[in-house]
Amino acid sequence: MAYSFLNINLNKSLLWLIIEKGFKFFTGFLILLLITRYLGLEEFGKYSFIVSFVSLFAPFIGLGLDDILIKEFTKKNFPDQTLLNTSFALKVISFAIIFFSIIFTSYFLNYDQILTLSITIYSASLFFNGFNSLESFHLSRDNYHLSVYSKIISQLVLLLFIVFIVQSNRGLSWIFFSYFIANLFYALFQFYWYKREFKWAILCFDFKIAKKLLIMSLPLMVGGLAYIIQTHTDQLMIKYFLGFTSAGIYSSSVNLIGLTIFIPYIFQKAFLSKIISLKEIKLKFNYVMVESYRLAIIMSLIVGIIFFSLSDYIINIFYGVEFKASGGVLALLSGRFAYFFFGVIRAIYLIVNGQQGLMMKSLIFSSIINVILNYILIPIMGINGAILATYISCVVDLVVIDLLNKRQNNFKFFLKALFSLGKFNMKSLLKNLQ
């Protein structure tokens, strides 16, 4: 069944995706404002550090299995119950290993009691990522609404819990406890939707299936880790070299920019399958790629100009006077949205042409560059060093690797779009993507 919105035919899955991302953007924005204003500069720096620190370990818990599972559930090469339990068991085992690794690491680094407790609570909430296997099962059967219900409920629980924390003047560890409770609700509802139709058989582990899943998911796990390194290294190193206050200044701006990522994400989910189908129609495919880049450039200019020109006003309105120093950082980071959107268009091109390996290699290489540059530049230039390292690594990821690869024309599409922005036709683009 399709729905029409702004003359765009939306299938049921896309409609639910827009509902979910729209709701998450709205509530995520409110949660960010509440946490930032409540904690203040230094405590928010601690909060951001904990999120970044634990996030480095998260890909090892998810194992990159979620998209693989949707494909395997759809193909039905294995019994659903065996596949579900095997994937869940793999995630539980990986969680146990990673959880104790995080605790040991935080103890070894000699963090204070509140920091260690918060890291422990937030790490424990990652256990419920294992229930993403149930979400993959629901998505494989086009039950998108069940996934959206679970996420909306958990997000509402998180928002209400954060409001309670602010009103009752609780400490930092309580904020991470709220994430634990929200993830618990998500897991319970995923399990509830499943139990309504199926029985849960605990002892259904298959070593052959486990081995196959791990082999297939390894590139995705490595790619996910590289992305986390790319997006969180700067915050960790700012804390290491400059302290929690500087981390708060930087992270408050990064989080605002990060809220905009849902725009290119929806574009990818909405049109990837259609662009793949255009591969054999060369002229039409080339036209869509150029128009997509024109859209990305124009959107990046709009978002960039808004954040750059109104940065001080935005920070003052949303965060307050205490975060005044974040205004300049937000202005300098205003181009980061371009990396998100250009990255999505490039990813679509590489997927269509079967070059996912190149995408992973460039992300890994640019992440290594990012770590090295942050380590060198932050002690010399402070926060500006982290910003410069981010932009250089983004260019390496999106441009340099492509220029070194002569087999693909992605960068040529970008250049053609850049020098012909006036030819952009949104109506024509949407018509070709119907």
Side-chain angles (χ1 to χ4, degrees), residues 150-167:
S150 301
K151 290 180 179 180
I152 286 178
I153 291 170
S154 66
Q155 195 75 0
L156 272 176
V157 169
L158 178 60
L159 176 59
L160 293 174
F161 214 100
I162 293 296
V163 171
F164 164 76
I165 289 169
V166 171
Q167 293 296 323

Side-chain angles (χ1 to χ4, degrees), residues 35-46 248 322-323:
I35 291 176
T36 308
R37 281 183 166 271
Y38 174 65
L39 291 178
L41 203 52
E42 184 172 352
E43 288 297 299
F44 184 74
K46 292 181 180 179
E322 185 180 0
F323 285 82

Side-chain angles (χ1 to χ4, degrees), residues 55-57 59-60 220-230 363 367:
S55 295
L56 286 177
F57 297 87
F60 296 107
L220 295 177
M221 184 185 72
V222 174
L225 176 62
Y227 177 77
I228 293 295
I229 292 173
Q230 174 81 304
L363 189 56
S367 298

Side-chain angles (χ1 to χ4, degrees), residues 171-323:
L172 180 64
S173 58
W174 276 81
I175 291 177
F176 291 102
F177 182 65
S178 69
Y179 282 101
F180 181 91
I181 296 298
N183 287 349
L184 173 61
F185 269 82
Y186 164 80
L188 289 175
F189 274 93
Q190 287 288 359
F191 186 69
Y192 170 73
W193 306 132
Y194 182 82
K195 283 287 289 182
R196 287 197 311 174
E197 299 182 41
F198 306 96
K199 292 182 179 180
W200 183 281
I202 298 176
L203 300 176
C204 291
F205 187 85
D206 188 300
F207 285 96
K208 290 183 179 180
I209 294 177
K211 182 179 178 180
K212 182 178 180 180
L213 289 176
L214 291 174
I215 292 173
M216 289 191 297
S217 65
L218 181 60
L220 295 177
M221 184 185 72
V222 174
L225 176 62
Y227 177 77
I228 293 295
I229 292 173
Q230 174 81 304
T231 54
H232 288 275
T233 295
D234 44 9
Q235 297 173 64
L236 292 172
M237 289 203 176
I238 286 175
K239 179 269 168 188
Y240 178 77
F241 287 112
L242 306 177
F244 286 120
T245 300
S246 295
I249 293 172
Y250 184 81
S251 299
S252 57
S253 300
V254 169
N255 287 336
L256 272 179
I257 297 290
L259 288 172
T260 62
I261 196 174
F262 82 98
I263 299 173
Y265 180 82
I266 288 178
F267 180 89
Q268 182 183 32
K269 291 293 183 182
F271 301 121
L272 174 59
S273 60
K274 182 59 181 178
I275 296 176
I276 290 175
S277 70
L278 296 176
K279 181 183 178 181
E280 302 304 324
I281 312 174
K282 188 174 181 180
L283 289 178
K284 199 170 185 179
F285 172 75
N286 292 350
Y287 172 78
V288 168
M289 287 303 303
V290 173
E291 282 292 276
S292 297
Y293 266 121
R294 286 175 183 150
L295 173 63
I297 293 169
I298 291 171
M299 288 295 298
S300 298
L301 287 172
I302 293 172
V303 173
I305 289 171
I306 290 173
F307 277 118
F308 184 82
S309 59
L310 301 176
S311 58
D312 289 330
Y313 180 78
I314 291 171
I315 292 296
N316 186 54
I317 289 295
F318 293 140
Y319 292 160
V321 178
E322 185 180 0
F323 285 82

